[in-house]
Amino acid sequence: MNFSLFRNVLKNVAAITYKSNNTFNVRGVTQVTKNIHITCKHYDLMEFFDEKKNWNETNIRVGRAWKLDELRIKSNTDLHKLWYVLLKERNMLYTMEHECNEKVRLFPNPERIDKVQESMDNIETVIKERNIAYYKLETGETGERPVEDVVNLLGLSEKYQKQEYHLPKFMNSRWVRSYFEHGYINSFAVKKFYRLYREKLHNEERKARNRDFNHVQQLLKRFPDMDMEKLKAEYPNVDIEKAKRSKKARGHFMPKY
Amino acid sequence: MRIYNFLCKKVGELTVKYSNLPESYIKRSYEQVYWKNPKGYPQYRDVQVARRKFRFTTNRPWTMQFARQNERSKQNKKVFLEPVGEWSFFKGDRVEVMVGRDKGKQGIVSQVIQERNWVIVEGMNTHLRVVGKEKDFPGITIQSEAPLLVTTGVKLVDPETLKPTEVEWRYTEEGDKVRVSLSSSRIIPIPKAAEETVDYKSKELYVENPTKDTVAAAATKITFEPKLRTFEMDIMESMGIKEDRVPAKSYWY
């Protein structure tokens, strides 16, 4: 119930903000303009490109991405504005990168894309935190999309993300029931697959174990005076005493004992 | 993908710090993915064909030289690294060289290459290199430093006795983590030069880009007030949007 309310609200916010920004609601707009610094207003396609003086630059140095702690001290309206600033910046960077590739030029400082993306991810995290806190306080649930642990067709455990439907489960004849209810899970084919899958996992584990053991042997051969505690800390699953006794670990030198 | 991540050696922590680049960018600048299965289809597994073994040298992973050194056709011999535990060498540290021609001399660490357990000490362990040699030009001879292994090649210098010493990480009573010299139990402070990056010498000296950066005062200003509202409710209220409709009942399964 709450999820659907939340979703509808979201949908309406998008629709109404679009309307209010473009047509009337003068009071809202003036309030906004008071608080934001806008360097230049173009409202044409050139906003997808960088400023003209940056076109021939080889190095455009910028700071780092917004950190989570810096975003946590910002109000919701600030985060909302910052999101659109970042979105515009990201669009601009993608356009500039594409244009540079077209013109066979070097795109200066491509790490800016990663910085903007990281900031946007952090904003999403902070907003999610705030919403989860609200919903937990009010309803006792997180308000996130519900996830269930299920066993899939191949007999493997999987996270199933639930979906929203108008009809309840028993009335919805078009909804395909989970494979578990069909009884595939106990079939011969699934059992065979699962056996082979487990064998594969076991082989991977065995190979990793052997690889580590051989690596430690080689390390012992090359660095006989190595700090054994540090070696043990880095390779906790390797029997170092056994590796020391092996032939591969003895280098081309006389043993000290 | 899992095995790839397991086998692929990660770039050192100090390298990331020095580069002042996002980690995701460093990863995408040096990785070589030859084939990746399309995402979002049930019939394709999440696998890729990519280079797994990289040769890390004094060339930093995000540079062109690194890419050239790790071209697709190039296969290198495996490098064995002695485990060092917690890293205790930083840029600007005074160290004593324990091997080679400059054995017993002290110098300042100018570069740290964590992927190979290397440090480069200013003016120590050098060799001569001829640069720019052509048919009618003999070239210029320059002195260049070779890296030294932190396990055997160098030792940190005790600030009291000025002798090489082993170090250990300990906590002070205030809870700060510090390096302590084992010979005299003195704290060896981490030098100011350790926070130097490609872009600036220290954080205070960073020059803001007036058109792109948010000014520090605006970034640190606290505007958050706790309210019993979700993000969406708050934005709707600040924009004067009213929503009274009740959504139809729905079911999650």
Side-chain angles (χ1 to χ4, degrees), chain B residues 53-233:
Chain B
K53 291 168 187 167
F54 291 93
R55 165 65 57 110
F56 289 96
T57 55
T58 49
N59 296 327
R60 280 20 258 286
W62 57 91
T63 56
M64 206 61 199
Q65 290 90 325
F66 182 89
R68 208 168 298 141
Q69 206 161 34
N70 289 286
E71 274 171 355
R72 194 173 180 176
S73 56
K74 282 190 184 164
Q75 295 294 332
N76 294 310
K77 232 174 140 184
K78 187 174 175 181
V79 176
F80 286 90
L81 290 179
E82 198 177 330
V84 286
E86 198 156 355
W87 191 265
S88 44
F89 290 83
F90 298 93
K91 190 172 172 163
D93 272 336
R94 180 182 284 272
V95 291
E96 185 160 324
V97 181
M98 308 304 288
V99 291
R101 277 200 314 176
D102 297 316
K103 191 173 173 177
K105 288 184 193 167
Q106 293 186 356
I108 306 292
V109 172
S110 64
Q111 213 179 336
V112 177
I113 295 145
Q114 223 182 344
E115 297 87 28
R116 290 291 293 269
N117 290 351
W118 279 349
V119 288
I120 292 177
V121 186
E122 232 173 76
M124 297 287 152
N125 199 26
T126 56
H127 54 273
L128 295 177
R129 252 171 62 186
V130 179
V131 177
K133 193 179 175 184
E134 280 175 32
K135 257 184 210 164
D136 47 353
F137 183 65
I140 300 161
T141 311
I142 56 166
Q143 214 179 22
S144 81
E145 293 108 345
L148 286 157
L149 277 174
V150 294
T151 47
T152 51
V154 288
K155 264 186 182 176
L156 281 170
V157 171
D158 188 301
E160 194 176 298
T161 57
L162 296 179
K163 292 271 160 53
T165 172
E166 295 290 332
V167 288
E168 199 179 66
W169 284 95
R170 284 187 206 160
Y171 287 96
T172 60
E173 280 180 6
E174 286 81 52
D176 302 327
K177 209 175 178 189
V178 287
R179 288 183 299 179
V180 177
S181 124
L182 286 186
S183 64
S184 69
S185 313
R186 279 273 301 253
I187 291 173
I188 306 177
I190 291 172
K192 191 82 179 155
E195 64 177 83
E196 191 176 323
T197 68
V198 206
D199 290 338
Y200 50 77
K201 292 272 174 194
S202 79
K203 275 179 186 169
E204 300 85 57
L205 296 175
Y206 173 72
V207 184
E208 278 168 359
N209 183 342
T211 52
K212 302 274 181 197
D213 288 349
T214 312
V215 287
T220 50
K221 200 180 156 196
I222 301 174
T223 55
F224 176 70
E225 318 150 15
K227 288 176 198 161
L228 196 61
R229 274 177 223 137
T230 62
F231 176 79
E232 291 79 13
M233 288 177 195

Side-chain angles (χ1 to χ4, degrees), chain B residues 14-27:
Chain B
L14 290 175
T15 312
V16 175
K17 220 173 137 196
Y18 173 73
S19 74
N20 212 7
L21 296 168
E23 220 171 326
S24 59
Y25 173 72
I26 296 181
K27 191 161 169 281

